[in-house]
Amino acid sequence: MAAQGMVTQSFRQAMAWLHTWFGLVLGFVLMAAFFFGALSVFDREIDRWAIPSTRFEPQPMPSYEQILRPAFERMQPTQQAIDAMRPRVDGPMPDHFDTVANWSAYTTHRDPVLALFAGFQVPGAKDPDEAIFALGTIDPRDGTALPDDRLKIGSGFFYPMHYSLTLDWKNLGFWIVGFSALVMLAALVSGVVMHRKFFRELFTFRPGKGGLRSVLDLHNLTGVVALPFHFFFAFTGLVIFSATYFFPVGHTQLHDLHDLHAATEANELGLPHQRAGVPAGLANVDAMVAEAQRRWAARDMAGDVGFLVLQHVGDANGYVSVYRAGTDRIALVGQGIHFKASTGELIREDPVATPVGKVAEFLTGLHLQHFRHWLLRWLYVLGGLLGAVCIATGFVFFVEKRKRQHAKQGSQGARIVDALAVTMITGMVAATLGILVANRLLPDDLPARGDWERYAFWGTWVLALLHAGLRSAPVARGLANPAWREQCGAIVVLAIAAVALNWITTGDHLLRTLGTGYWPVAGLDLALLATAAVAGATGLHLRRRAAATAAVEHPRREAAHA
Amino acid sequence: MHEASHAAWLLTAALLASIVGMAWLALAMPAHGQQVWGAPVSPAHARALRVLGAVALAVSLALCLASDHASMAALVWVMSLAGGAFATAMALAWRARWLALLAPWIGAADTAATR
């Protein structure tokens, strides 16, 4: 009995060690993954707030013949893309790219604008399979080209921040986030082992208890109530990137085998892998789309087109793939229907997935939430924010627990961690607001405007770090860092400034957006005001507590002097 | 249009059922009974509250299923449980007395007896 008790005890201690140190080191990454993940749930809405010319209602996939074809025909790679490709090509780069490898258009039920992609073959490319790409954005109502150099802050910045920290060098960001997700699964299991009174303390948060107790309560509460969410999102995040994390050999060690597999698969499916080299025309694509929609309806899943791809454009081997926007289900399924481009005859209808495939589709869809369900969308935001609070309170608990001890020993360790925690919690929110404020302040025609917006984000964050470090001296004496409440004040100012600037620069104030029911912009403004309210209340609370501590400290010091 | 507003009502009701269900489960627990009435509820009341809580959560699931197909409903329900538990915890932390309204048949007399 005693031996068994000892084993459990040391197991629990090992779990506590794992939870504390891995949580501390990788919590910084996970905090960003959770927070920006929560923002990504509304990435398209944030895009619309940030690019006022796109503030109109979401549109379905437009007609190919009337809207898409002229838009595709206009597309060419940018000079930047051509320069980037140059070292991987033997001989000179052409002035105009004529051989279209593929054209595609993608939309969701939340996209007012339409994203277009074009891939071109490059004569003399060292890897003949490598294509050069062009991106385009159009107004799907009339085909007008919209400027693409405007940063889509939601889908183009917060979303990649969520899974790669925008560290693109050698995919380093993907690997860091992926490793952190793996560790998070361990942190959840070890946390459950440590927190024995799991259900008995499910609802327990005692803000009045002060000090460590209330912080630990909130850490346990936010971890436990959304435990299925935390677990499934870390897990499905890994599933989505499993090809990158676990099986990158297909593209590295086994390149030839990978190519052979792709060719064999294409042969089996009847979807040609390569061009035939024989020019061919293109039948009516709108008719193919209508036929695809008829076939979906016959399978009792009527719906809009989400993704339209034209492969090997202008070649006898060309084909057109029509994929459904599965907004009515969790599972991310395309139900693709493929047509021969030159004649419009049906080549293939994707079969229903195998059971394993279905599980993968469900898990991917669960995480990527492409479906139409506003309540679930908001519940995901709640889950993401609960995760961020769970990690934030973990940091605070770590610091608070060691602060006084370190103060006695004269160590500076707690000071560093505390400054990093300030940077990660209030600083990250401030940086997020910084990019929104910059978005409304920078002139519309500024060259490389998106880069300036990114600088505003990182600049605000660096300022938050410097500020937190410079103000951290009291932590070494076991007191609170005033940077916490000062950055809460900065958040209030920035959040209100963002709402005010949106009003001034676009005229879309809350009375108007709420009056016309334009929720994407109204929602973001309301969220900003809510952020200001929470940060304001927190700042006031921290100031009152600091004043109370000072009142206790002051007489004590007087007494010591006397 | 009509269908969308119908679903919105069902989901609102499902969310409310989750919150109320979680609150009833919490009220059955000694620590939270103490917060709300100053003393834990009697064992008979605790049992009744637990049954009510479980029924409310089941009703929430049923409402989710009435609004969406099964896989979507399961996800909405699990997330609504998280929302309900968090809302209950916040209510207990800041405005515990308000939760007494969810069980008006339990008075101070019922809890005093157990002291």
Side-chain angles (χ1 to χ4, degrees):
Chain A
M1 246 354 214
Q4 194 195 351
M6 255 161 66
V7 170
T8 354
Q9 194 56 32
S10 67
F11 175 65
R12 243 187 251 292
Q13 271 167 6
M15 287 290 120
W17 184 90
L18 178 93
H19 190 89
T20 305
W21 292 99
F22 275 75
L24 180 74
V25 174
L26 292 166
F28 294 105
V29 177
L30 290 172
M31 179 93 191
F34 267 98
F35 181 70
F36 290 108
L39 294 185
S40 298
V41 172
F42 286 110
D43 60 347
R44 301 300 205 280
E45 286 73 15
I46 295 172
D47 288 352
R48 283 197 249 176
W49 189 95
I51 309 177
S53 62
T54 64
R55 288 183 186 178
F56 51 90
E57 294 302 318
Q59 306 292 318
M61 183 70 79
S63 153
Y64 175 83
E65 307 298 338
Q66 284 161 28
I67 306 283
L68 293 178
R69 186 208 295 265
F72 279 137
E73 282 169 355
R74 280 199 306 267
M75 289 175 76
Q76 278 293 304
T78 58
Q79 196 56 47
Q80 263 175 318
I82 296 172
D83 291 340
M85 182 87 190
R86 209 180 293 274
R88 298 193 297 278
V89 176
D90 295 319
M93 294 292 273
D95 295 332
H96 196 271
F97 291 84
D98 302 313
T99 315
V100 180
N102 48 56
W103 279 338
S104 58
Y106 176 73
T107 191
T108 72
H109 71 280
R110 290 157 52 231
D111 270 311
V113 297
L114 186 67
L116 303 181
F117 310 89
F120 302 90
Q121 288 198 345
V122 187
K126 288 174 184 165
D127 175 0
D129 287 339
E130 193 181 7
I132 188 165
F133 289 97
L135 304 175
T137 306
I138 61 166
D139 181 339
R141 295 170 302 185
D142 53 15
T144 329
L146 295 166
D148 294 303
D149 53 347
R150 292 295 299 269
L151 178 63
K152 291 174 181 167
I153 290 182
S155 61
F157 188 69
F158 292 159
Y159 178 53
M161 185 69 72
H162 157 64
Y163 58 77
S164 75
L165 310 171
T166 70
L167 270 180
D168 295 332
W169 182 73
K170 294 212 184 283
N171 283 346
L172 189 63
F174 287 89
W175 286 93
I176 295 175
V177 174
F179 180 63
S180 305
L182 201 60
V183 170
M184 188 183 136
L185 292 176
L188 285 176
V189 172
S190 53
V192 168
V193 171
M194 286 162 71
H195 187 45
R196 273 168 282 184
K197 293 184 235 160
F198 206 73
F199 286 108
R200 217 187 319 154
E201 294 193 347
L202 181 62
F203 303 103
T204 303
F205 170 45
R206 290 157 288 187
K209 283 253 174 167
L212 289 179
R213 192 63 249 175
S214 59
V215 175
L216 192 59
D217 275 350
L218 198 56
H219 182 66
N220 292 337
L221 173 74
T222 50
V224 171
V225 295
L227 193 62
F229 176 88
H230 300 329
F231 189 85
F232 264 97
F233 274 71
F235 178 68
T236 52
L238 284 169
V239 168
I240 289 166
F241 284 116
S242 56
T244 318
Y245 296 141
F246 308 125
F247 309 110
V249 286
H251 281 292
T252 52
Q253 303 310 106
L254 304 173
H255 194 267
D256 293 341
L257 192 60
H258 176 262
D259 283 359
L260 181 65
H261 172 74
T264 314
E265 190 180 35
N267 198 23
E268 278 169 12
L269 302 182
L271 304 175
H273 184 51
Q274 298 284 353
R275 295 175 87 89
V278 181
L282 178 63
N284 188 305
V285 175
D286 286 341
M288 299 181 215
V289 169
E291 171 64 10
Q293 285 182 312
R294 195 191 62 72
R295 283 174 181 270
W296 290 326
R299 277 151 72 179
D300 199 24
M301 346 172 269
D304 291 324
V305 177
F307 190 36
L308 181 68
V309 189
L310 284 80
Q311 198 71 34
H312 313 314
V313 178
D315 186 89
N317 267 353
Y319 61 93
V320 176
S321 301
V322 190
Y323 295 93
R324 186 168 168 273
T327 51
D328 54 347
R329 57 201 63 216
I330 302 279
L332 188 64
V333 290
Q335 286 139 344
I337 299 186
H338 313 271
F339 301 90
K340 192 169 175 61
S342 54
T343 61
E345 73 179 293
L346 180 79
I347 305 178
R348 174 188 159 80
E349 202 167 329
D350 285 352
V352 176
T354 59
V356 175
K358 274 189 181 165
V359 171
E361 285 171 352
F362 183 77
L363 292 178
T364 325
L366 179 153
H367 193 117
L368 295 178
Q369 21 101 27
H370 56 105
F371 42 77
R372 193 190 293 269
H373 202 299
W374 296 107
L375 174 64
L376 190 51
R377 216 162 259 287
W378 275 107
L379 288 171
Y380 275 13
V381 174
L382 175 73
L385 293 181
L386 287 175
V389 171
C390 182
I391 301 162
T393 45
F395 285 146
V396 174
F397 182 73
F398 182 96
V399 178
E400 293 295 316
K401 197 174 162 189
R402 285 160 183 77
K403 205 157 77 175
R404 283 171 199 88
Q405 217 178 326
H406 282 200
K408 263 185 226 138
Q409 298 163 353
S411 157
Q412 304 285 315
R415 224 177 126 173
I416 296 169
V417 178
D418 184 79
L420 288 174
V422 175
T423 312
M424 209 55 222
I425 299 165
T426 51
M428 182 167 65
V429 179
T432 304
L433 297 167
I435 193 174
L436 294 179
V437 168
N439 169 273
R440 291 291 85 232
L441 278 180
L442 293 170
D444 262 349
D445 50 359
L446 182 74
R449 193 178 192 274
D451 290 342
W452 288 105
E453 289 172 77
R454 289 191 189 90
Y455 299 152
F457 178 86
W458 295 111
T460 314
W461 213 344
V462 169
L463 281 180
L465 172 66
L466 292 176
H467 173 238
L470 289 173
R471 301 288 276 150
S472 66
V475 178
R477 287 187 279 125
L479 299 172
N481 187 342
W484 284 107
R485 56 175 190 273
E486 288 160 6
Q487 294 198 9
C488 281
I491 291 171
V492 174
V493 172
L494 286 168
I496 292 173
V499 175
L501 285 167
N502 174 44
W503 175 5
I504 295 165
T505 56
T506 68
D508 284 343
H509 53 83
L510 268 171
L511 289 181
R512 180 193 287 178
T513 48
L514 285 176
T516 55
Y518 196 68
W519 283 101
V521 169
L524 188 53
D525 275 348
L526 287 173
L528 287 168
L529 293 178
T531 308
V534 172
T538 311
L540 284 178
H541 177 77
L542 290 176
R543 182 193 297 190
R544 264 202 302 273
R545 207 159 69 181
T549 323
V552 177
E553 285 277 309
H554 196 60
R556 204 188 289 160
R557 219 175 294 153
E558 298 272 280
H561 276 290
Chain B
M1 206 59 226
H2 173 254
E3 238 177 50
S5 73
H6 183 62
W9 283 114
L10 285 177
L11 289 171
T12 309
L15 201 55
L16 283 175
S18 275
I19 296 172
V20 172
M22 281 292 181
W24 275 333
L25 289 180
L27 290 176
M29 294 157 96
H32 302 309
Q34 180 86 38
Q35 277 174 282
V36 175
W37 290 289
V41 297
S42 67
H45 276 316
R47 214 172 305 120
L49 282 169
R50 270 196 292 273
V51 171
L52 274 174
V55 169
L57 297 185
V59 166
S60 170
L61 176 62
L63 288 165
C64 288
L65 284 166
S67 164
D68 296 302
H69 60 87
S71 60
M72 187 93 83
L75 219 53
V76 174
W77 184 64
V78 169
M79 290 308 295
S80 82
L81 294 185
F86 185 69
T88 301
M90 288 297 121
L92 283 168
W94 305 106
R95 293 286 179 274
R97 295 297 167 93
W98 290 6
L99 291 182
L101 295 173
L102 291 177
W105 61 92
I106 300 177
D110 295 294
T111 54
T114 62
R115 252 189 276 190

